[in-house]
PDB file of all heavy atoms in Angstrom:
ATOM      1  N   SER A  23      -0.425  11.566  -8.070  1.00  0.00           N
ATOM      2  CA  SER A  23      -0.909  11.891  -9.443  1.00  0.00           C
ATOM      3  C   SER A  23      -2.389  11.814  -9.560  1.00  0.00           C
ATOM      4  O   SER A  23      -2.971  12.542 -10.368  1.00  0.00           O
ATOM      5  CB  SER A  23      -0.258  10.878 -10.425  1.00  0.00           C
ATOM      6  OG  SER A  23      -0.659   9.599 -10.155  1.00  0.00           O
ATOM      7  N   PHE A  24      -3.078  10.931  -8.822  1.00  0.00           N
ATOM      8  CA  PHE A  24      -4.518  10.855  -9.011  1.00  0.00           C
ATOM      9  C   PHE A  24      -5.345  10.688  -7.708  1.00  0.00           C
ATOM     10  O   PHE A  24      -6.572  10.453  -7.738  1.00  0.00           O
ATOM     11  CB  PHE A  24      -4.870   9.649  -9.936  1.00  0.00           C
ATOM     12  CG  PHE A  24      -4.544   8.270  -9.439  1.00  0.00           C
ATOM     13  CD1 PHE A  24      -5.448   7.590  -8.603  1.00  0.00           C
ATOM     14  CD2 PHE A  24      -3.414   7.646  -9.821  1.00  0.00           C
ATOM     15  CE1 PHE A  24      -5.177   6.317  -8.146  1.00  0.00           C
ATOM     16  CE2 PHE A  24      -3.115   6.394  -9.414  1.00  0.00           C
ATOM     17  CZ  PHE A  24      -3.949   5.677  -8.533  1.00  0.00           C
ATOM     18  N   GLY A  25      -4.684  10.881  -6.535  1.00  0.00           N
ATOM     19  CA  GLY A  25      -5.354  10.711  -5.285  1.00  0.00           C
ATOM     20  C   GLY A  25      -6.597  11.568  -5.132  1.00  0.00           C
ATOM     21  O   GLY A  25      -7.609  11.162  -4.555  1.00  0.00           O
ATOM     22  N   LYS A  26      -6.507  12.798  -5.699  1.00  0.00           N
ATOM     23  CA  LYS A  26      -7.657  13.716  -5.564  1.00  0.00           C
ATOM     24  C   LYS A  26      -8.927  13.189  -6.203  1.00  0.00           C
ATOM     25  O   LYS A  26     -10.008  13.567  -5.823  1.00  0.00           O
ATOM     26  CB  LYS A  26      -7.325  15.093  -6.131  1.00  0.00           C
ATOM     27  CG  LYS A  26      -7.111  15.107  -7.612  1.00  0.00           C
ATOM     28  CD  LYS A  26      -6.677  16.502  -8.115  1.00  0.00           C
ATOM     29  CE  LYS A  26      -6.451  16.542  -9.594  1.00  0.00           C
ATOM     30  NZ  LYS A  26      -5.077  16.176  -9.950  1.00  0.00           N
ATOM     31  N   GLY A  27      -8.813  12.255  -7.129  1.00  0.00           N
ATOM     32  CA  GLY A  27      -9.932  11.712  -7.826  1.00  0.00           C
ATOM     33  C   GLY A  27     -10.510  10.440  -7.180  1.00  0.00           C
ATOM     34  O   GLY A  27     -11.605   9.987  -7.594  1.00  0.00           O
ATOM     35  N   ILE A  28      -9.828   9.875  -6.217  1.00  0.00           N
ATOM     36  CA  ILE A  28     -10.273   8.607  -5.616  1.00  0.00           C
ATOM     37  C   ILE A  28     -11.617   8.708  -4.932  1.00  0.00           C
ATOM     38  O   ILE A  28     -12.451   7.849  -5.177  1.00  0.00           O
ATOM     39  CB  ILE A  28      -9.188   8.015  -4.703  1.00  0.00           C
ATOM     40  CG1 ILE A  28      -7.933   7.606  -5.480  1.00  0.00           C
ATOM     41  CG2 ILE A  28      -9.680   6.815  -3.897  1.00  0.00           C
ATOM     42  CD1 ILE A  28      -6.760   7.206  -4.686  1.00  0.00           C
ATOM     43  N   PRO A  29     -11.883   9.678  -4.070  1.00  0.00           N
ATOM     44  CA  PRO A  29     -13.218   9.733  -3.444  1.00  0.00           C
ATOM     45  C   PRO A  29     -14.343   9.765  -4.431  1.00  0.00           C
ATOM     46  O   PRO A  29     -15.351   9.045  -4.234  1.00  0.00           O
ATOM     47  CB  PRO A  29     -13.136  10.999  -2.584  1.00  0.00           C
ATOM     48  CG  PRO A  29     -11.683  11.156  -2.228  1.00  0.00           C
ATOM     49  CD  PRO A  29     -10.964  10.742  -3.472  1.00  0.00           C
ATOM     50  N   ALA A  30     -14.221  10.514  -5.499  1.00  0.00           N
ATOM     51  CA  ALA A  30     -15.282  10.592  -6.504  1.00  0.00           C
ATOM     52  C   ALA A  30     -15.409   9.271  -7.277  1.00  0.00           C
ATOM     53  O   ALA A  30     -16.496   8.802  -7.562  1.00  0.00           O
ATOM     54  CB  ALA A  30     -15.008  11.744  -7.518  1.00  0.00           C
ATOM     55  N   ALA A  31     -14.278   8.635  -7.552  1.00  0.00           N
ATOM     56  CA  ALA A  31     -14.308   7.327  -8.221  1.00  0.00           C
ATOM     57  C   ALA A  31     -15.023   6.300  -7.376  1.00  0.00           C
ATOM     58  O   ALA A  31     -15.804   5.478  -7.876  1.00  0.00           O
ATOM     59  CB  ALA A  31     -12.910   6.856  -8.574  1.00  0.00           C
ATOM     60  N   ILE A  32     -14.748   6.295  -6.087  1.00  0.00           N
ATOM     61  CA  ILE A  32     -15.421   5.386  -5.148  1.00  0.00           C
ATOM     62  C   ILE A  32     -16.910   5.670  -5.121  1.00  0.00           C
ATOM     63  O   ILE A  32     -17.752   4.773  -5.122  1.00  0.00           O
ATOM     64  CB  ILE A  32     -14.746   5.468  -3.749  1.00  0.00           C
ATOM     65  CG1 ILE A  32     -13.352   4.811  -3.796  1.00  0.00           C
ATOM     66  CG2 ILE A  32     -15.642   4.734  -2.733  1.00  0.00           C
ATOM     67  CD1 ILE A  32     -12.541   5.005  -2.550  1.00  0.00           C
ATOM     68  N   ALA A  33     -17.286   6.934  -5.115  1.00  0.00           N
ATOM     69  CA  ALA A  33     -18.719   7.328  -5.075  1.00  0.00           C
ATOM     70  C   ALA A  33     -19.416   6.832  -6.326  1.00  0.00           C
ATOM     71  O   ALA A  33     -20.614   6.579  -6.331  1.00  0.00           O
ATOM     72  CB  ALA A  33     -18.850   8.834  -4.953  1.00  0.00           C
ATOM     73  N   ASN A  34     -18.678   6.636  -7.467  1.00  0.00           N
ATOM     74  CA  ASN A  34     -19.304   6.090  -8.676  1.00  0.00           C
ATOM     75  C   ASN A  34     -19.573   4.591  -8.543  1.00  0.00           C
ATOM     76  O   ASN A  34     -20.340   4.009  -9.339  1.00  0.00           O
ATOM     77  CB  ASN A  34     -18.425   6.371  -9.871  1.00  0.00           C
ATOM     78  CG  ASN A  34     -18.482   7.779 -10.339  1.00  0.00           C
ATOM     79  OD1 ASN A  34     -19.470   8.476 -10.095  1.00  0.00           O
ATOM     80  ND2 ASN A  34     -17.386   8.248 -10.921  1.00  0.00           N
ATOM     81  N   VAL A  35     -18.884   3.951  -7.579  1.00  0.00           N
ATOM     82  CA  VAL A  35     -18.972   2.500  -7.379  1.00  0.00           C
ATOM     83  C   VAL A  35     -19.998   2.129  -6.273  1.00  0.00           C
ATOM     84  O   VAL A  35     -20.772   1.206  -6.382  1.00  0.00           O
ATOM     85  CB  VAL A  35     -17.651   1.856  -7.091  1.00  0.00           C
ATOM     86  CG1 VAL A  35     -17.752   0.381  -6.729  1.00  0.00           C
ATOM     87  CG2 VAL A  35     -16.670   2.075  -8.261  1.00  0.00           C
ATOM     88  N   THR A  36     -19.986   2.952  -5.197  1.00  0.00           N
ATOM     89  CA  THR A  36     -20.755   2.641  -4.021  1.00  0.00           C
ATOM     90  C   THR A  36     -21.122   3.933  -3.241  1.00  0.00           C
ATOM     91  O   THR A  36     -20.350   4.865  -3.278  1.00  0.00           O
ATOM     92  CB  THR A  36     -20.022   1.691  -3.044  1.00  0.00           C
ATOM     93  OG1 THR A  36     -20.898   1.394  -1.943  1.00  0.00           O
ATOM     94  CG2 THR A  36     -18.705   2.243  -2.587  1.00  0.00           C
ATOM     95  N   GLY A  37     -22.191   3.885  -2.568  1.00  0.00           N
ATOM     96  CA  GLY A  37     -22.576   4.963  -1.708  1.00  0.00           C
ATOM     97  C   GLY A  37     -22.077   4.794  -0.282  1.00  0.00           C
ATOM     98  O   GLY A  37     -22.304   5.641   0.573  1.00  0.00           O
ATOM     99  N   LYS A  38     -21.316   3.732  -0.041  1.00  0.00           N
ATOM    100  CA  LYS A  38     -20.769   3.490   1.286  1.00  0.00           C
ATOM    101  C   LYS A  38     -19.707   4.493   1.617  1.00  0.00           C
ATOM    102  O   LYS A  38     -18.957   4.915   0.729  1.00  0.00           O
ATOM    103  CB  LYS A  38     -20.187   2.059   1.397  1.00  0.00           C
ATOM    104  CG  LYS A  38     -21.153   0.994   0.959  1.00  0.00           C
ATOM    105  CD  LYS A  38     -21.594   0.207   2.154  1.00  0.00           C
ATOM    106  CE  LYS A  38     -22.492  -0.948   1.755  1.00  0.00           C
ATOM    107  NZ  LYS A  38     -23.730  -0.953   2.424  1.00  0.00           N
ATOM    108  N   PRO A  39     -19.592   4.900   2.860  1.00  0.00           N
ATOM    109  CA  PRO A  39     -18.598   5.868   3.252  1.00  0.00           C
ATOM    110  C   PRO A  39     -17.141   5.300   3.276  1.00  0.00           C
ATOM    111  O   PRO A  39     -17.016   4.081   3.518  1.00  0.00           O
ATOM    112  CB  PRO A  39     -19.007   6.293   4.623  1.00  0.00           C
ATOM    113  CG  PRO A  39     -19.725   5.091   5.180  1.00  0.00           C
ATOM    114  CD  PRO A  39     -20.423   4.479   3.972  1.00  0.00           C
ATOM    115  N   ILE A  40     -16.188   6.145   3.015  1.00  0.00           N
ATOM    116  CA  ILE A  40     -14.770   5.744   3.139  1.00  0.00           C
ATOM    117  C   ILE A  40     -14.449   5.787   4.657  1.00  0.00           C
ATOM    118  O   ILE A  40     -14.606   6.840   5.244  1.00  0.00           O
ATOM    119  CB  ILE A  40     -13.875   6.681   2.332  1.00  0.00           C
ATOM    120  CG1 ILE A  40     -14.220   6.614   0.837  1.00  0.00           C
ATOM    121  CG2 ILE A  40     -12.385   6.356   2.556  1.00  0.00           C
ATOM    122  CD1 ILE A  40     -13.490   7.659  -0.009  1.00  0.00           C
ATOM    123  N   ARG A  41     -14.012   4.691   5.166  1.00  0.00           N
ATOM    124  CA  ARG A  41     -13.765   4.569   6.642  1.00  0.00           C
ATOM    125  C   ARG A  41     -12.241   4.561   6.929  1.00  0.00           C
ATOM    126  O   ARG A  41     -11.852   5.038   7.982  1.00  0.00           O
ATOM    127  CB  ARG A  41     -14.334   3.281   7.165  1.00  0.00           C
ATOM    128  CG  ARG A  41     -15.826   3.187   7.048  1.00  0.00           C
ATOM    129  CD  ARG A  41     -16.493   4.076   8.054  1.00  0.00           C
ATOM    130  NE  ARG A  41     -17.962   3.860   8.080  1.00  0.00           N
ATOM    131  CZ  ARG A  41     -18.817   4.777   8.338  1.00  0.00           C
ATOM    132  NH1 ARG A  41     -18.412   6.013   8.675  1.00  0.00           N
ATOM    133  NH2 ARG A  41     -20.104   4.517   8.347  1.00  0.00           N
ATOM    134  N   PHE A  42     -11.449   3.974   6.003  1.00  0.00           N
ATOM    135  CA  PHE A  42     -10.001   3.835   6.273  1.00  0.00           C
ATOM    136  C   PHE A  42      -9.218   4.231   5.022  1.00  0.00           C
ATOM    137  O   PHE A  42      -9.647   3.941   3.907  1.00  0.00           O
ATOM    138  CB  PHE A  42      -9.635   2.423   6.600  1.00  0.00           C
ATOM    139  CG  PHE A  42     -10.139   1.946   7.911  1.00  0.00           C
ATOM    140  CD1 PHE A  42     -11.350   1.268   8.006  1.00  0.00           C
ATOM    141  CD2 PHE A  42      -9.360   2.033   9.101  1.00  0.00           C
ATOM    142  CE1 PHE A  42     -11.828   0.811   9.225  1.00  0.00           C
ATOM    143  CE2 PHE A  42      -9.818   1.606  10.312  1.00  0.00           C
ATOM    144  CZ  PHE A  42     -11.090   0.986  10.362  1.00  0.00           C
ATOM    145  N   LEU A  43      -8.043   4.840   5.259  1.00  0.00           N
ATOM    146  CA  LEU A  43      -7.038   5.087   4.249  1.00  0.00           C
ATOM    147  C   LEU A  43      -5.736   4.502   4.799  1.00  0.00           C
ATOM    148  O   LEU A  43      -5.296   4.882   5.875  1.00  0.00           O
ATOM    149  CB  LEU A  43      -6.875   6.567   3.945  1.00  0.00           C
ATOM    150  CG  LEU A  43      -5.709   6.983   3.016  1.00  0.00           C
ATOM    151  CD1 LEU A  43      -5.792   6.286   1.676  1.00  0.00           C
ATOM    152  CD2 LEU A  43      -5.631   8.462   2.910  1.00  0.00           C
ATOM    153  N   ILE A  44      -5.154   3.527   4.091  1.00  0.00           N
ATOM    154  CA  ILE A  44      -3.938   2.819   4.557  1.00  0.00           C
ATOM    155  C   ILE A  44      -2.800   3.380   3.741  1.00  0.00           C
ATOM    156  O   ILE A  44      -2.858   3.470   2.490  1.00  0.00           O
ATOM    157  CB  ILE A  44      -4.065   1.337   4.338  1.00  0.00           C
ATOM    158  CG1 ILE A  44      -5.206   0.809   5.246  1.00  0.00           C
ATOM    159  CG2 ILE A  44      -2.742   0.650   4.680  1.00  0.00           C
ATOM    160  CD1 ILE A  44      -5.580  -0.649   4.851  1.00  0.00           C
ATOM    161  N   TYR A  45      -1.707   3.708   4.389  1.00  0.00           N
ATOM    162  CA  TYR A  45      -0.438   4.135   3.709  1.00  0.00           C
ATOM    163  C   TYR A  45       0.512   2.910   3.606  1.00  0.00           C
ATOM    164  O   TYR A  45       0.913   2.380   4.645  1.00  0.00           O
ATOM    165  CB  TYR A  45       0.272   5.240   4.500  1.00  0.00           C
ATOM    166  CG  TYR A  45      -0.394   6.598   4.525  1.00  0.00           C
ATOM    167  CD1 TYR A  45       0.138   7.588   5.371  1.00  0.00           C
ATOM    168  CD2 TYR A  45      -1.418   6.923   3.702  1.00  0.00           C
ATOM    169  CE1 TYR A  45      -0.426   8.837   5.411  1.00  0.00           C
ATOM    170  CE2 TYR A  45      -1.948   8.226   3.701  1.00  0.00           C
ATOM    171  CZ  TYR A  45      -1.459   9.153   4.575  1.00  0.00           C
ATOM    172  OH  TYR A  45      -2.009  10.416   4.625  1.00  0.00           O
ATOM    173  N   SER A  46       0.934   2.630   2.428  1.00  0.00           N
ATOM    174  CA  SER A  46       1.904   1.530   2.217  1.00  0.00           C
ATOM    175  C   SER A  46       3.324   1.926   2.711  1.00  0.00           C
ATOM    176  O   SER A  46       4.028   1.050   3.235  1.00  0.00           O
ATOM    177  CB  SER A  46       1.994   1.123   0.712  1.00  0.00           C
ATOM    178  OG  SER A  46       2.476   2.254  -0.056  1.00  0.00           O
TER     179      SER A  46
END
Side-chain angles (χ1 to χ4, degrees):
S23 63
F24 66 84
K26 65 182 178 273
I28 293 174
I32 290 170
N34 286 332
V35 174
T36 181
K38 304 252 185 233
I40 299 172
R41 299 285 188 210
F42 291 92
L43 172 59
I44 298 168
Y45 288 170
S46 63

